[in-house]
Amino acid sequence: MSRPAAAPARDTAWSNRHLRMGNLIKVLTRDIDGCSGNFFLDFENAQPTAAESEVWEKVNRVLEESQVILEDLQNYRGAGEEIRQAIQRPGAVGVQERAWSAVVPLVNKLKTFYEFTHKLESSLWCLLDVLTSSEATPTQHLEQKQALARQFAQILHFTLRFDELKMTNPAIQNDFSYYRRTISRMRINNPSVDSAGEVNNELANRMSLFYAGATPMLKTLSDATIKFVSDNPDVPLENTTDCLSTMASVCKVMLESPEYSNRFNSEETVSLCLRVMVGVIILYDHVHPAGAFVKTSNIDMKGCIRVLREQPVSSVEGLVNALRYTTKHLNDEATPKHIRNMLH
């Protein structure tokens, strides 16, 4: 008996693509059953296709640097003791010099963190440019360009992790405040100190505004998304908001459905999904004229908040606070009372 002819490669590819699309539709409609295939948005293993490779390589370089930034921020200890000694002994030249020597390299590190925001903004624009193009729907983009969707998720993950670490480290602002006070005194005696310093006065002003914010990196991302929309009037606004709301829906369903969450190889993927879900909600709330909380929103806010509340409090407290304090429309009259109550 002769064996049946093998299906042409393109037919197999077409079949696989439509199987994944079927899984995607199940995710978005919450019609999930035990027979569904792998979850469609692979945050752990998605690799770029040839068509994605140019953008992927560019963004990947920034993401590699973001890991170094997070490590440096996590290990940031500050110069608190040296500063305390310098304040207590203003006339001791040696003590003043030790404090200055301790603070300068730390401020240069803070400068590196701040300047990284420009690279992050550029990477976000690269990804949004592809994921919101009118060549396909946002859902199709996410399904077909999983490696770029994964990078978008990694940018959001970095952003919220950076802000969590910054928020719990008062040494950052203390060090920078001491640096600014000291450089001001030095400038009185030597007006040219500005041009010789690593952080001149203009840059120090911008850095001061950046670090004064509770969530500086998230604000950078929100501003970058708003600017992307305003600078690309040919791209319909709903392309961007639908991309964000779809990502929120996907993360929520993957987190609340064992059929998907059981397939995560790492517990870190749960943290990533939670941060991505919250990150895209905040971006959506800043970009959409009515925000994320109104009844007509494309985001199931009640479901998203419920998923957050089901996690250990210690692991999501920063994310809940991000929704409380960095969204734009939470306290609008149009926000349903039960949504505000769930967050407060």
Side-chain angles (χ1 to χ4, degrees):
M1 184 174 176
S2 61
R3 304 171 86 182
R10 66 181 182 185
D11 289 349
T12 302
W14 183 93
S15 176
N16 289 339
R17 191 159 60 244
H18 280 260
L19 176 61
R20 290 198 303 271
M21 183 61 76
N23 290 333
L24 171 59
I25 292 167
K26 285 183 177 182
V27 169
L28 295 178
T29 59
R30 298 187 287 282
D31 176 23
I32 297 174
D33 56 51
C35 300
S36 59
N38 291 336
F39 59 88
F40 80 98
L41 226 176
D42 190 350
F43 283 144
E44 294 178 330
N45 303 305
Q47 295 300 314
T49 62
E52 296 169 273
S53 60
E54 184 179 348
V55 171
W56 188 90
E57 289 286 353
K58 187 185 296 185
V59 175
N60 191 56
R61 288 192 290 272
V62 175
L63 286 171
E64 286 176 349
E65 187 176 348
S66 77
Q67 295 309 302
V68 178
I69 297 281
L70 281 184
E71 191 174 327
D72 284 349
L73 181 57
Q74 198 153 8
N75 295 327
Y76 190 101
R77 295 294 173 263
E81 180 57 26
E82 292 89 344
I83 291 171
R84 188 176 65 81
Q85 292 287 342
I87 291 171
Q88 289 179 349
R89 302 172 64 189
V93 175
V95 173
Q96 301 301 314
E97 288 177 347
R98 277 196 297 277
W100 183 247
S101 296
V103 165
V104 167
L106 291 171
V107 168
N108 286 332
K109 200 175 286 288
L110 294 179
K111 176 191 173 192
T112 300
F113 297 167
Y114 170 74
E115 290 180 336
F116 181 73
T117 62
H118 305 308
K119 298 177 185 179
L120 197 70
E121 178 179 318
S122 176
S123 294
L124 179 72
W125 274 45
C126 285
L127 294 174
L128 286 175
D129 197 47
V130 175
L131 296 175
T132 66
S133 77
S134 297
E135 295 172 4
T137 67
T139 297
Q140 289 168 336
H141 280 310
L142 292 173
E143 193 270 339
Q144 295 165 7
K145 302 178 178 71
Q146 292 204 14
L148 300 187
R150 181 187 180 193
Q151 288 186 318
F152 185 35
Q154 289 169 325
I155 283 177
L156 289 162
H157 178 74
F158 161 80
T159 297
L160 277 100
R161 184 64 183 138
F162 180 98
D163 287 345
E164 286 169 6
L165 290 170
K166 181 265 173 188
M167 201 178 295
T168 55
N169 194 338
I172 290 173
Q173 282 184 272
N174 291 341
D175 292 346
F176 195 64
S177 294
Y178 177 80
Y179 174 87
R180 297 207 73 187
R181 291 196 305 271
T182 306
I183 202 85
S184 293
R185 286 199 302 271
M186 291 168 67
R187 199 178 296 120
I188 293 172
N189 298 322
N190 181 7
S192 66
V193 73
D194 226 299
S195 58
E198 285 291 328
V199 178
N200 63 33
N201 197 43
E202 182 187 347
L203 177 57
N205 287 336
R206 295 200 303 270
M207 287 174 61
S208 183
L209 285 172
F210 175 76
Y211 286 111
T215 53
M217 206 60 79
L218 190 55
K219 185 178 187 309
T220 295
L221 228 56
S222 296
D223 290 347
T225 308
I226 292 167
K227 193 170 189 297
F228 173 83
V229 170
S230 64
D231 286 7
N232 292 277
D234 54 317
V235 178
L237 173 63
E238 57 268 23
N239 285 22
T240 302
T241 54
D242 285 356
C243 175
L244 299 172
S245 61
T246 300
M247 185 81 90
S249 298
V250 167
C251 289
K252 180 183 78 71
V253 174
M254 289 200 297
L255 286 164
E256 68 186 0
S257 307
E259 291 90 343
Y260 291 94
S261 59
N262 286 344
R263 297 176 189 176
F264 295 163
N265 293 317
S266 168
E267 289 183 11
E268 276 298 303
T269 307
V270 174
S271 296
L272 183 143
C273 278
L274 289 166
R275 288 196 178 101
V276 172
M277 182 180 74
V278 169
V280 290
I281 287 170
I282 292 168
L283 295 185
Y284 182 100
D285 193 59
H286 280 267
V287 172
H288 196 285
F293 299 99
V294 293
K295 289 179 181 178
T296 55
S297 168
N298 287 338
I299 296 177
D300 174 14
M301 284 306 308
K302 184 177 179 180
C304 290
I305 297 169
R306 187 186 65 247
V307 166
L308 275 176
R309 291 300 193 187
E310 288 170 354
Q311 309 300 318
V313 174
S314 59
S315 67
V316 296
E317 186 177 5
L319 297 179
V320 173
N321 284 336
L323 287 176
R324 283 176 184 154
Y325 303 122
T326 64
T327 47
K328 184 178 179 182
H329 295 279
L330 175 61
N331 294 313
D332 288 1
E333 286 185 18
T335 299
K337 196 170 289 185
H338 71 275
I339 295 294
R340 277 202 292 266
N341 291 339
M342 286 180 78
L343 282 174
H344 292 301

